[in-house]
Amino acid sequence: IVECAPRNTNKKHYGLMYKIFYYIYKIYKKVIFKNDALIDYARNKYIPYYYMKNSGDILLQRWIKEKQADLIVIYSMSQLLKENIFSIPKYGAINLHTAYLPKYRGPNPLFWIYYNNDSEAGVTVHYVDKGEDTGDIIYQEKCDIPSGIRSQELLDLIVGEIGIKILLKAIKDIPNSPRVKQPMLSTTSRARNIADTEHLNIVKWHEWEIERIWHFLRGTELWLNAFDQPSGFYKGQRWTILGFEKCDTKNFSISKIYKEKHKTFIACKDGKIFLTVKFDFKKAVLNLIG
């Protein structure tokens, strides 16, 4: 198992308060979640483990060669694997991508699927080459996107139900699996990550209908800061998007949060999207150390 370091690995603060709450959080994880870390899983199963900070690292290259890997299987890496690594195994490397290639090549396909209000999602298993999600396609499938489905539920569908199935089939069929070349150009723009400065302006509040906004916010509620997040006691927590109601909102400012009759909502041009907040200890600790 090779675990890829997150993109913000080098951006953490290492002051005294960070260290204190970091260890509190580690204890909390051990007590509540037991062995939820990938390294713990690997140790318990006696599986060799490597923590990758650089996708072309010479030490990683040596490690892969020592293990005499026949095939590299990739899912959800924050870096593109370099040729000196993916060319080592006898059968190369394959990747599970959460889009129906060649659509949505890049690191964040689900965001743009929600943003573009697509009615279909997909998943692809493909060979890895020097490009970004441009290698030959082995297997892929499409599925419908239910309105209002949250990103984790959509991932459970396209990865847990469909993706794992076709990934295992691809592994079983190596080296005789099909190889379908992709077109050079994608029908969509690169599925890039959005910058922090884009969050507040990403929703077209005065153009989109409420159902589209509701669907988009449900899909991105875990991380997108498209409107003000909880403050006070709940600072560091996130809103959970509930249902919506079409109604007259001329007395409210669009994209602002209100509380009325014990219900919290964000105003849209044609209705209200209801919100709630649930206290999460992990988020509270991360807010304190951040």
Side-chain angles (χ1 to χ4, degrees), residues 129 137 191 271 286:
D129 63 10
I137 293 170
L286 290 177

Side-chain angles (χ1 to χ4, degrees), residues 167-288:
L167 179 61
L168 291 174
K169 180 173 171 57
I171 294 170
K172 183 180 178 182
D173 291 347
I174 295 289
N176 300 311
S177 58
R179 299 187 70 134
V180 179
K181 286 200 173 297
Q182 293 192 52
M184 291 185 63
L185 298 178
S186 173
T187 55
T188 60
S189 299
R190 180 176 179 267
R192 63 180 179 84
N193 289 308
I194 66 167
D196 291 343
T197 54
E198 295 179 272
H199 284 229
L200 283 175
N201 300 314
I202 204 76
V203 176
K204 300 185 185 301
W205 297 98
H206 296 277
E207 297 178 24
W208 292 356
E209 300 297 321
I210 188 171
E211 187 167 0
R212 178 171 180 178
I213 295 176
W214 170 74
H215 175 73
F216 177 67
L217 294 182
R218 296 252 299 186
T220 58
E221 70 179 3
L222 296 178
W223 63 276
L224 186 69
N225 296 313
F227 56 95
D228 294 336
Q229 291 298 316
S231 58
F233 175 77
Y234 287 104
K235 184 178 180 181
Q237 307 296 310
R238 296 198 62 83
W239 292 114
T240 297
I241 312 299
L242 301 176
F244 70 91
E245 174 186 86
K246 289 189 175 183
C247 60
D248 183 3
T249 53
K250 63 183 179 183
N251 294 325
F252 302 101
S253 296
I254 304 305
S255 81
K256 300 302 179 183
I257 296 173
Y258 296 90
K259 191 165 186 178
E260 186 179 66
K261 296 180 180 179
H262 306 293
K263 289 185 177 181
T264 303
F265 64 89
I266 185 164
C268 298
K269 70 184 182 73
D270 53 348
K272 302 172 182 177
I273 295 175
F274 297 101
L275 314 170
T276 190
V277 62
K278 297 176 183 177
F279 185 79
D280 185 300
F281 180 77
K282 174 182 175 181
K283 290 174 183 174
V285 172
L286 290 177
N287 179 60
L288 288 169

